[in-house]
Amino acid sequence: MENLFLHSTDGLGYQAFEVSESEITKALGYRELLVKALDIEIIYDQIIEAYWDYKNKVSYWSLRSISSPSADYVFNHEVRSSLNRLAFNLFNLSKLYLDWHYNERKKRCFSFELTNEDSAKQQVIDHRCEVYDTNLNYVVGCSLRGHSQHSALPVRTFTTGVRYDRDTSNRTAHFNIYYRYEDLAKAGVPKEMLSKDIKLDLTDIVDGFVYAISQKHMLNRKLTEVVVGEARASLTSMWKNYGTKAGFENYRCEVRTEKKSTGRVGLSLEWFDVFEYLKEKHRISINYSNITFEK
């Protein structure tokens, strides 16, 4: 039975071929791997976009708060409302990514799923432990994610105003969402990681939290780069001889199976260009806590 169809993109013609079931299975396996690689890039892109939205809104309210009366409760509500939506969205998108990255209970490890190499899984586990031990903001962010999902929104109070430096006569606007020891302990942060006088700003927490996810994503890319490249090259080359037989220079191909779960599946890879675009868009890990922006 004919199950491989090549459609000319230069005209309306098509050619059908019968290929072995093993070849079809192999091709669908390559395609599934590439879909997973693109999917995690898309999730990561959503996280970074949500992060930028949150950072932009904090800057916006910092400017707006200068001219707003301190007792304007409607204004205060709008501040909390907008930042809660953005922070809540960011934390939940991050949970989705972290579950893909590694979840022992669900027996998931993205890099292992693509490479089937135990060494890749071990590198992920070791890196998770390192991040947990060295990045308090990541630990706090993970706790706030669960706390905001089940108990309370992440932004309850904030402080704002203008500081005056007598030595330089400079005025500095400030906007902070502080978490102190009691807040952090209530959110589930391990008490042994906290000092009694600790005071963390939510934006600093988010910075460190996203930086940790960014590091995890760069590790995933490194561990899966070879298998993704091989799958892409293999899937592209599998049908070249059929294209030659059909006399098509430019074509798209699809397979048709008897399984209801798959049915008709496209095997051309134009859609995978988005993968390269997202890799370039987010080509390095993000750590804004080490950057000072000039006016």
Side-chain angles (χ1 to χ4, degrees), residues 130-187:
E130 178 186 349
V131 170
Y132 189 88
D133 291 338
T134 60
N135 188 337
L136 177 60
N137 285 323
Y138 169 72
V139 178
V140 173
C142 289
S143 298
L144 287 181
R145 195 280 314 164
H147 187 67
S148 63
Q149 192 172 55
H150 301 291
S151 300
L153 291 169
V155 181
R156 299 299 295 264
T157 61
F158 61 90
T159 61
T160 184
V162 177
R163 299 189 182 97
Y164 178 75
D165 189 323
R166 293 182 178 179
D167 295 330
T168 62
S169 298
N170 291 333
R171 290 179 172 84
T172 304
H174 66 90
F175 181 93
N176 301 101
I177 305 164
Y178 285 125
Y179 278 80
R180 292 174 171 80
Y181 177 86
E182 294 77 11
D183 307 312
L184 297 169
K186 187 176 181 180

Side-chain angles (χ1 to χ4, degrees), residues 34 70 87 98 107 111 116 128 133 141-142 158 164 168 192 214 226 230-231 236 240 270 285:
L34 295 177
S70 58
L98 293 171
K107 301 186 183 302
S111 293
N116 200 32
R128 288 176 75 249
D133 291 338
C142 289
F158 61 90
Y164 178 75
T168 62
E192 62 272 15
S214 184
V226 172
E230 290 177 347
T236 301
K240 282 186 176 180
E270 293 86 355
S285 58

